Amino acid sequence: MHYSSCILAIESSCDDTSVAVIRGHRVLSNIVANQAVHMNFGGVVPELASRAHAQNIVPTLEVALEKAGVMPEELDAVAYTQGPGLMGSLHVGVAFAKAWAFGIGKPTIPVHHMHAHILAHFLEPGPPPKLPFLCLTVSGGHTQLVQVNAPLQMTVLGTTRDDAAGEAFDKMAKLMGLPYPGGPEIDKLAAEGDPDSFSFTRPSVEGLDMSFSGLKTQILHFLQREMRTNPSFIEERKNDISASVQNAILGILLSKLEDAVRLTGIQEVAIAGGVSANRGLREALEVRRDELGWTVHIPPIEHCTDNAAMIAMTGAIYFESGIRGKITDAPNPRLHF
Ligand code: KG4
Ligand code: ZN
């Protein structure tokens, strides 16, 4: 599978404004404007996110084009995230992408954000996974075990029944008083802690579905209990608590991933989404490569968290399959997988 189109893409589904330009599988630029404004609120404030997108989108596009050294007339199409995501945030990217593409006379390609996390594996440096492969997609809003038979043919084998894995990291971090987003904070603290310090029971959920909300309640009660006897417990043991919490979340993800490998017989395994930046998860996959003989695909960090390069790669795949957007295409916060 080889793709060669030149695509500019816009991603604005949540709190980062990103614009990328790719040619074929090569990323020419991938600019991400992070929104610091949410830091003070312990989570993303949708209205502030859409305002920041509106401010950032034009300068981000200008930097992306300049860094790529590409003129608008060289582009084959303009791809953008149609959903899922926050309505106001999506609106800014969708309206801007359609207007800008119309202005330069190029077609648009609406892209599914979760397909894009997976298809980021087709970007260089690669090599891309061989088909069929399994992908554990773990982000702030979604947790899915997906069987990819072809880039345009994917089936969800399992999903979370409540919180997403990234959301679980963020909520546990909040319980510990860590800043938002908590995933990277727990990752950092866990590196210096012992994952076996505290153990939590794993929820039993049928099939390949998962659940994280019971773990959150367990950890809340555990922290409250410990803090009653020692008010400095979290501060004194933050590394061990982080390592144990991370171990519990990864335990749920990895046991389901192992079940999926066993059930499908597919040993070509990829991870995607913001949580795939987690060092513990990356190392756990390497262990399974070495010990179980899996072929593992671990994306570079900049392709894990939200970025427009993955939207561009998906745009190229859609474009070369003949898919074209319409001027009437609208953002869809609950876009069907
Ligand atoms: O894919 P993403 O950037 O945005 C969504 O589409 O949701 O994922 C964001 C999520 C957040 O919950 C964040 O805490 C988590 O990914 N995350 C991490 C790490 N980096 C980002 N979780 C654990 N360890 C990390 N290193
Ligand atoms: Zn995402």
Side-chain angles (χ1 to χ4, degrees):
M1 244 166 318
H2 185 79
Y3 300 94
S4 57
S5 18
C6 188
I7 306 284
L8 178 139
I10 293 171
E11 150 65 31
S12 72
S13 65
C14 190
D15 60 339
D16 293 326
T17 317
S18 180
V19 181
V21 181
I22 66 164
R23 184 174 280 119
H25 302 258
R26 174 157 304 160
V27 180
L28 304 180
S29 64
N30 184 25
I31 310 297
V32 182
N34 297 113
Q35 299 184 358
V37 63
H38 308 288
M39 275 283 215
N40 307 329
F41 298 94
V44 177
V45 184
E47 174 59 24
L48 294 180
S50 27
R51 288 186 209 186
H53 283 306
Q55 276 174 350
N56 293 341
I57 202 151
V58 172
T60 310
L61 176 115
E62 283 170 352
V63 175
L65 274 173
E66 196 189 318
K67 182 158 183 240
V70 166
M71 301 300 285
E73 49 276 21
E74 292 173 67
L75 297 170
D76 291 303
V78 176
Y80 63 85
T81 306
Q82 186 181 20
L86 299 171
M87 186 46 137
S89 293
L90 290 167
H91 244 302
V92 177
V94 173
F96 180 80
K98 289 197 297 184
W100 193 74
F102 184 75
I104 61 166
K106 300 291 178 179
T108 52
I109 314 286
V111 166
H112 192 293
H113 183 88
M114 300 310 291
H115 289 180
H117 270 301
I118 298 173
L119 298 176
H121 281 283
F122 288 84
L123 289 166
E124 286 181 3
K130 290 197 184 72
L131 298 167
F133 67 93
L134 294 178
C135 188
L136 174 68
T137 317
V138 271
S139 74
H142 294 81
T143 300
Q144 294 173 327
L145 259 167
V146 178
Q147 179 172 332
V148 184
N149 295 320
L152 295 181
Q153 212 220 331
M154 306 185 188
T155 329
V156 178
L157 303 177
T159 181
T160 179
R161 300 220 172 142
D162 37 61
D163 295 345
E167 196 179 356
F169 268 106
D170 295 340
K171 285 182 175 171
M172 313 292 184
K174 202 168 186 174
L175 294 177
M176 292 174 64
L178 301 172
Y180 178 86
E185 299 290 325
I186 292 198
D187 187 352
K188 240 181 285 163
L189 290 169
E192 307 290 318
D194 174 5
D196 297 319
S197 307
F198 310 106
S199 65
F200 307 102
T201 43
R202 194 175 293 170
S204 81
V205 182
E206 271 171 45
L208 295 175
D209 281 350
M210 290 159 259
S211 164
F212 295 95
S213 65
L215 184 62
K216 182 188 61 199
T217 314
Q218 250 189 89
I219 290 171
L220 170 68
H221 290 159
F222 159 75
L223 291 176
Q224 284 173 337
R225 202 168 53 238
E226 296 292 337
M227 293 290 275
R228 269 199 294 274
T229 46
N230 175 11
S232 322
F233 176 71
I234 295 181
E235 187 46 39
E236 284 169 12
R237 305 291 305 273
K238 58 179 187 272
N239 295 94
D240 288 338
I241 302 170
S242 297
S244 304
V245 163
Q246 176 168 302
N247 193 34
I249 298 175
L250 298 186
I252 296 173
L253 294 171
L254 290 162
S255 76
K256 293 295 178 168
L257 184 57
E258 285 175 358
D259 288 348
V261 168
R262 208 173 310 117
L263 285 167
T264 60
I266 298 171
Q267 292 209 324
E268 188 88 14
V269 179
I271 52 173
V275 180
S276 60
N278 183 270
R279 269 173 289 182
L281 180 58
R282 299 166 84 86
E283 281 162 19
L285 241 71
E286 281 164 7
V287 168
R288 279 149 187 84
R289 175 192 60 205
D290 298 341
E291 292 180 358
L292 303 177
W294 295 3
T295 304
V296 302
H297 297 270
I298 302 169
I301 300 283
E302 65 273 20
H303 297 167
C304 292
T305 45
D306 286 349
N307 67 89
M310 68 183 197
I311 307 298
M313 187 69 244
T314 310
I317 294 170
Y318 288 8
F319 179 74
E320 293 186 34
S321 313
I323 296 171
R324 300 288 181 274
K326 301 186 293 296
I327 198 76
T328 50
D329 287 331
N332 185 346
R334 302 192 175 280
L335 190 61
H336 186 66
F337 192 86

